[in-house]
Amino acid sequence: MFENLSLLALQQYWWVIVSLLGALLVFLMFVQGGQTLIFTLGKTELEKKMLINSMGRKWEFTFTTLVTFGGAFFASFPLFYATSFGGAYWVWMAILFAFVIQAVSYEFRSKPNNFLGQKTFEVFLFINGLLGTILIGTAVSTFFTGSQFFVTEFNFMEWKGAARGLEAVLNPHNVVLGLAVFFLARSLGLLYFINDIDNESIIPRAHKQLWFNALPFLFFFLLWLIWLLFLNGYAYDPITKVVYIEAYKYLNNIFQMPVNTIIMLLGIILVLYGLFIALFKQGTKGIWFTGLGTVLTVFALFILAGFNHTAFYPSNYDLQSSLSIENASSSHYTLTAMSYVSLMIPFVVAYIWYAWKAINIKKINAEEMEGEGHAY
Amino acid sequence: MVTLRGHFLLLIVVFLWLGIKDKLEGKNWLFWTAILTIPLTYVASQAGWVLTELGRQPWVIQDLMPTLSAVTKIDAASVQITFWLFAVTFTALLIAEIKIMLTQIKKGPNTGGH
C-alpha cells in the first residue's frame, strides 16, 4: 500500500502527521498555561490543590504528545533532528530541562518529606509553564524566520549562531510568537479550568483573568501573523532544488493553498468563538471551540511552513543549507515502514478520547480534594 | 548480562512453581534472593548498554556511518555544563524520592498514602 507511493508523497504524508501532532501539542499546552495560573487563581491551599489536580490529570497527555511529536518529526525528517537538536543545543536543552522538572513536580509535590518542599515544586510547575511555552513558540518561529547554520554535502552540520539556539530570542519576530503561545496556553488553561472545576471562588477569577490573557494572545498572534505575511520566505525550485528568497512567500502560500487557508480561517473563527462565549456569555464550553480552533490554526501554519516548495527550516547563513521536506527526510523504505505503523493512530486517538472522557466524568470540587482518593 | 538473565528466568520459574503449589510460605531464603536480585536488574541493564555501545564502535551504523562523523560539533564546556546541571537536578530528586519512600514505608500500607 504505502510502498507504491512516491518518496514525495510519503514526505508530504509525514509532514501532515507532524503538523497534526504539533497542532495537538499546542492545544494540550493548556496544561502549561494552567500551571502558570496556580498562584493567580488559587488563594488558599485547597484552591491550589484543585487547580493542580485539574492540570495533574492531563499533564501526561501533553508530555506524551510532545514526545510523540518530537519522535515522529525526528524519525521522518532526521536531518532536521540532527541540525536543530545538535545545533540549537541550548534552546532544546532548556526546553527539555523545563519538562523534566514538570514531571517530578506532580509526583512529589504533595508527598510528605519531599526534601525540596511543596512550594518549590509549585514553582517548578510555573517555570515549566513559562519556559516551555515561550521557548517552544520561539523555536517554532525560526521555521519561518530562519537560523544560522551550514550543512555540508556529507550532511555535517555547523551551527553559526552565537548562543546555540538561544540567539533566536534576539529576533523580535520569534519572541512575539513565543509570547503568543504563552498567552494562548494561559487562555486555554483558563477555559479548561472553567469547564473542569466546580468552585465559586475560582471560576469568577478565571473569567476575569481570561480578559488579561486572551487580549494579549490575540495581539501577539495577529502581530506575528501579519508580520509573517510581509516576510521574505525561503522557497526552492522543485526541479533543481536550489533555494532562493521569495518576497511575500507565506502570503503566496496562503493564496496558492486555498484549502489550507480555509482551514486556518476556520480555526481562527473557532478560537475567537470559544473566547467569546466564555467572556461574554459566561459559558463553560469555550475550551472545545478554542481548542479545536487552535489545532486547526496551528496545523495550517505548519503546512504553510513546509508545503508548496517552502524550506521549513531555513538557513539565513547559507541558503542552500536550508531544509525542506524533500531534502531532510528519511528514505522511502523507512517512511513506508513508519506509514504502516501510523495506521495505529486511529486506535490511539480512540483510546485517548475514552481515557479523557473517563477522567473528566465529574468536575473537580473541594469535597473530592479533601476525600481519600488519589490527589496530586 | 546473559548469566543474570538465566538467574532471573530461574527465579521467576521457581516463584511461579511454588506459588501454584501454594508452598511459598516460610521460604525466607527465596524472599531474600528476590530482594538481592533487585540491584542485579540494574547491573544487567547497564551491562547490556555497555555491550551495545562498545560493541558497535567505531560505527554508529555498521559500515555506513562511523561514530566520529555522528558527533555534534559542540565545545566540551557545553556538554560538561549539561552534565553537571542534570547531575545536580537528579541527585536532588533522588534524595527527595528516597525520603518520600522511607516516609511511606514507615507509615505502612494501611495508613493514608495513594
Side-chain angles (χ1 to χ4, degrees):
Chain A
M1 181 164 80
F2 289 106
E3 56 272 359
N4 297 324
L5 293 176
S6 67
L7 179 59
L8 178 60
L10 286 168
Q11 290 163 339
Q12 290 170 333
Y13 174 66
W14 275 98
W15 187 254
V16 166
I17 291 183
V18 165
S19 301
L20 183 59
L21 287 169
L24 288 168
L25 171 65
V26 174
F27 160 60
L28 288 168
M29 289 208 292
F30 73 79
V31 172
Q32 273 63 39
Q35 286 166 196
T36 65
L37 290 158
I38 296 168
F39 301 114
T40 311
L41 296 181
K43 302 299 180 193
T44 66
E45 283 307 309
L46 181 60
E47 286 171 3
K48 273 201 299 183
K49 191 173 182 182
M50 281 193 276
L51 294 163
I52 288 172
N53 276 272
S54 178
M55 294 292 100
R57 290 170 191 192
K58 295 293 179 306
W59 81 266
E60 283 145 330
F61 285 88
T62 312
F63 209 97
T64 52
T65 304
L66 171 68
V67 172
T68 308
F69 164 68
F73 203 165
F74 309 148
S76 51
F77 300 99
L79 198 50
F80 166 75
Y81 174 38
T83 305
S84 189
F85 267 57
Y89 179 83
W90 280 121
V91 80
W92 288 113
M93 274 297 166
I95 292 170
L96 174 65
F97 194 75
F99 279 88
V100 164
I101 60 176
Q102 181 203 29
V104 294
S105 294
Y106 278 111
E107 298 307 328
F108 290 176
R109 185 198 83 100
S110 62
K111 301 284 194 299
N113 210 11
N114 61 20
F115 180 55
L116 295 175
Q118 180 175 304
K119 190 70 184 282
T120 304
F121 290 111
E122 288 166 7
V123 170
F124 280 174
L125 289 179
F126 182 88
I127 292 172
N128 168 253
L130 179 74
L131 283 187
T133 52
I134 292 179
L135 289 179
I136 286 179
T138 304
V140 169
S141 185
T142 63
F143 284 28
F144 301 90
T145 58
S147 304
Q148 304 266 314
F149 63 88
F150 174 67
V151 180
T152 71
E153 62 181 300
F154 298 109
N155 290 334
F156 291 141
M157 184 278 305
E158 288 185 25
W159 193 264
K160 299 296 185 186
R164 286 282 178 174
L166 292 174
E167 67 276 355
V169 303
L170 296 177
N171 182 337
H173 197 187
N174 296 335
V175 177
V176 167
L177 185 63
L179 291 171
V181 172
F182 172 68
F183 284 108
L184 171 64
R186 280 166 68 92
S187 301
L188 287 168
L190 288 162
L191 289 171
Y192 186 80
F193 285 141
I194 288 167
N195 182 263
D196 189 51
I197 295 180
D198 178 15
N199 183 268
E200 286 174 357
S201 302
I202 292 176
I203 300 308
R205 279 184 218 135
H207 276 288
K208 182 181 166 194
Q209 282 297 321
L210 192 55
W211 285 103
F212 301 134
N213 288 280
L215 292 177
F217 155 63
L218 289 171
F219 170 74
F220 285 116
F221 178 67
L222 286 171
L223 175 62
W224 180 83
L225 188 63
I226 292 167
W227 197 339
L228 179 74
L229 298 180
F230 287 93
L231 211 59
N232 289 336
Y234 299 78
Y236 65 91
D237 185 286
I239 311 292
T240 64
K241 314 295 182 202
V242 170
V243 181
Y244 60 93
I245 298 284
E246 182 178 319
Y248 308 109
K249 172 60 177 163
Y250 299 105
L251 184 62
N252 293 341
N253 282 358
I254 293 263
F255 290 126
Q256 290 165 12
M257 293 194 287
V259 174
N260 191 57
T261 303
I262 291 169
I263 291 173
M264 191 188 308
L265 288 172
L266 182 61
I268 292 172
I269 290 168
L270 284 170
V271 167
L272 292 173
Y273 181 68
L275 292 171
F276 171 80
I277 62 175
L279 288 169
F280 294 101
K281 306 260 186 207
Q282 304 297 299
T284 62
K285 305 272 188 254
I287 181 65
W288 301 122
F289 295 97
T290 302
L292 177 59
T294 299
V295 174
L296 293 176
T297 309
V298 175
F299 173 81
L301 285 172
F302 269 97
I303 297 296
L304 206 70
F307 270 23
N308 203 32
H309 310 115
T310 314
F312 74 81
Y313 203 59
S315 168
N316 39 34
Y317 177 86
D318 172 51
L319 276 185
Q320 303 316 314
S321 293
S322 300
L323 302 181
S324 68
I325 63 172
E326 292 194 55
N327 69 10
S329 80
S330 289
S331 65
H332 189 280
Y333 178 82
T334 299
L335 292 181
T336 300
M338 287 169 60
S339 299
Y340 277 107
V341 177
S342 75
L343 294 176
M344 281 172 43
I345 289 177
F347 298 99
V348 175
V349 169
Y351 171 75
I352 290 172
W353 176 84
Y354 175 76
W356 188 296
K357 218 161 139 26
I359 291 170
N360 276 30
I361 211 155
K362 200 167 151 291
K363 286 192 181 193
I364 301 242
N365 58 32
E367 288 74 32
E368 189 182 355
M369 293 300 103
E370 284 161 341
E372 287 293 312
H374 175 270
Y376 283 102
Chain B
M1 180 186 72
V2 172
T3 308
L4 286 174
R5 182 191 66 175
H7 165 70
F8 298 147
L9 281 172
L10 183 62
L11 195 64
I12 290 169
V13 166
V14 168
F15 261 100
L16 205 56
W17 177 257
L18 290 174
I20 290 169
K21 294 288 184 192
D22 200 20
K23 286 183 178 172
L24 276 173
E25 200 165 332
K27 301 262 186 321
N28 286 355
W29 61 270
L30 190 59
F31 302 142
W32 271 111
T33 305
I35 289 173
L36 292 171
T37 298
I38 293 172
L40 295 181
T41 61
Y42 296 107
V43 170
S45 178
Q46 291 302 314
W49 275 112
V50 169
L51 173 71
T52 299
E53 298 309 322
L54 287 183
R56 69 164 60 250
Q57 301 307 328
W59 302 103
V60 169
I61 305 171
Q62 184 75 33
D63 299 331
L64 284 175
M65 187 183 197
T67 312
L68 208 60
S69 69
V71 174
T72 299
K73 204 172 171 184
I74 191 168
D75 56 290
S78 291
V79 182
Q80 285 164 356
I81 292 171
T82 313
F83 173 81
W84 287 112
L85 209 58
F86 276 95
V88 166
T89 305
F90 279 88
T91 301
L93 295 175
L94 177 66
I95 294 170
E97 183 170 350
I98 290 172
K99 286 168 81 79
I100 289 169
M101 281 205 296
L102 288 176
T103 304
Q104 290 295 330
I105 290 167
K106 278 182 198 150
K107 267 190 183 172
N110 294 323
T111 54
H114 300 304

